[in-house]
Amino acid sequence: MSEAQNTAYPAPKVLGGLVAYLQVDGAFKAAEFYKRAFGAEQVFAYPADEKGRTMHIHLYVNGSSMMLCDAYPEHGHAHEKAQGYTMQLILGDDIDAWWKRAVEAGCEVVVPLDVMFWGDRWGQLRDPFGVAWAMNAPVKQA
């Protein structure tokens, strides 16, 4: 057993009852991007292997845990394009600041932030890793 496999790592607290676990092409780069775009806090990461990949990164985003890993095709976990899901951020009065920060960090606007038929402000973005993100907040009452 290698030293890394034999080392006990402290487990940070998992926040939320359902955790998104994303496999991306470049988990360390994604974690850095999510810090800039969504104010993520990295609370744990396994060290990089000889190819710069990691099997696990744990982030806190908007009061919830989100986890990332790289693809390991040699172990049956090939990279697959992100599709068919959206990471949904439920926000309050600060949705404009969240939106601006994400766009300035490099997210592409897919659906502009606007008041939707269900009465909330909502918009959708795509990050440089191909992951769809949406932001939703109640409309401010005058």
Side-chain angles (χ1 to χ4, degrees), residues 10-67:
K13 183 176 180 175
V14 176
L15 304 178
L18 178 65
V19 176
Y21 205 120
L22 305 179
Q23 182 252 57
V24 294
D25 185 15
F28 282 116
K29 289 179 184 176
E32 288 303 313
F33 179 80
Y34 296 151
K35 288 177 190 177
R36 291 189 312 276
F38 305 114
E41 174 190 357
Q42 183 174 308
V43 294
F44 181 80
Y46 277 106
D49 68 8
E50 65 282 350
K51 295 180 181 179
R53 304 172 302 180
T54 184
M55 60 183 264
H56 183 71
I57 297 176
H58 187 158
L59 304 172
Y60 291 157
V61 180
N62 192 33
S64 297
S65 286
M66 183 175 96
M67 300 178 187

Side-chain angles (χ1 to χ4, degrees), residues 48-107:
D49 68 8
E50 65 282 350
K51 295 180 181 179
R53 304 172 302 180
T54 184
M55 60 183 264
H56 183 71
I57 297 176
H58 187 158
L59 304 172
Y60 291 157
V61 180
N62 192 33
S64 297
S65 286
M66 183 175 96
M67 300 178 187
L68 307 172
C69 69
D70 281 289
Y72 285 84
E74 69 274 23
H75 296 291
H77 300 281
H79 179 66
E80 295 182 28
K81 181 180 172 184
Q83 61 184 7
Y85 66 89
T86 301
M87 303 296 293
Q88 181 83 14
L89 292 163
I90 307 301
L91 304 167
D93 291 343
D94 54 354
I95 190 169
D96 292 301
W98 277 77
W99 186 266
K100 181 179 181 204
R101 179 178 60 197
V103 170
E104 287 177 352
C107 283

